[in-house]
Amino acid sequence: MDGAYIPDTAIVENECKIHYEKDVINTNDVKRIMIRNQQKRENLNRLIHLPKVWNSIPYSVYFFSCNLDDVLHGEANLKMEDKNKLAKQFESDYMDNPSKFIEFFNQKEIVVHGEYEESWKFISFQTNSLQRYSNFAIYLNKCKKN
């Protein structure tokens, strides 16, 4: 999500290229982040309501907020070497344990409860798209039932 739905007032001028916090984005280019967020919102708002692609393939989109690193590791501003190390650890922890993987995404710190549409309303509210949330459990729980 990268904070795509936050109000423009939560984008703060700073010396950082980009640094995510739980309630603001610090950046040295506020206008660029505003434009990026507007484009992401417009694209996501189209994709969220797209039930099928090519008229027959069921489609849905899921979010990891503030970003994938934040959801998986609780840190939204990782350096590349840390991303790689933690990704390998995550793979090691969950690759052979699908039940544990599903449990991870159902943790109360991460999971967004409700149906698909509700989860998107939730993440688009205020600064929720900067928080550590994911609606991926909706998909995983549906697969688990089937």
Side-chain angles (χ1 to χ4, degrees):
M1 294 304 304
D2 291 329
Y5 286 99
I6 65 172
D8 287 345
T9 55
I11 304 169
V12 177
E13 182 80 32
N14 196 292
E15 357 180 291
C16 310
K17 182 176 178 183
I18 190 163
H19 185 85
Y20 297 100
E21 294 184 27
K22 295 298 178 192
D23 57 349
V24 297
I25 296 175
N26 293 298
T27 182
N28 61 4
D29 194 344
V30 171
K31 184 151 182 78
R32 181 179 64 82
I33 299 301
M34 286 179 178
I35 292 168
R36 178 204 73 168
N37 283 359
Q38 180 183 355
Q39 290 171 337
K40 281 186 176 193
R41 283 191 307 268
E42 288 172 3
N43 291 333
L44 283 167
N45 289 341
R46 273 183 255 144
L47 294 172
I48 292 163
H49 303 292
L50 187 66
K52 294 181 182 176
V53 293
W54 294 329
N55 294 322
S56 62
I57 301 170
Y59 177 85
S60 51
V61 61
Y62 297 90
F63 58 80
F64 299 90
S65 188
C66 165
N67 54 40
L68 183 59
D69 298 328
D70 194 19
V71 170
L72 299 186
H73 314 296
E75 175 57 56
N77 300 291
L78 288 173
K79 295 178 181 166
M80 191 55 71
E81 60 268 16
D82 295 329
K83 288 176 182 249
N84 291 332
K85 184 178 85 174
L86 289 169
K88 288 176 183 173
Q89 182 61 52
F90 189 85
E91 177 186 22
S92 173
D93 290 347
Y94 297 101
M95 185 170 69
D96 295 324
N97 196 335
S99 296
K100 188 176 173 186
F101 181 81
I102 292 170
E103 282 177 34
F104 178 86
F105 285 99
N106 277 285
Q107 291 179 79
K108 66 180 177 179
E109 298 85 13
I110 297 170
V111 70
V112 175
H113 294 287
E115 298 297 321
Y116 178 79
E117 295 276 339
E118 292 172 287
S119 72
W120 279 101
K121 286 179 186 171
F122 173 83
I123 206 64
S124 66
F125 182 73
Q126 299 290 337
T127 59
N128 285 351
S129 63
L130 283 173
Q131 308 296 316
R132 187 179 183 212
Y133 294 116
S134 177
N135 66 348
F136 193 50
I138 294 169
Y139 173 77
L140 293 173
N141 295 335
K142 189 186 312 182
C143 290
K144 189 173 146 181
K145 290 176 186 176
N146 294 336

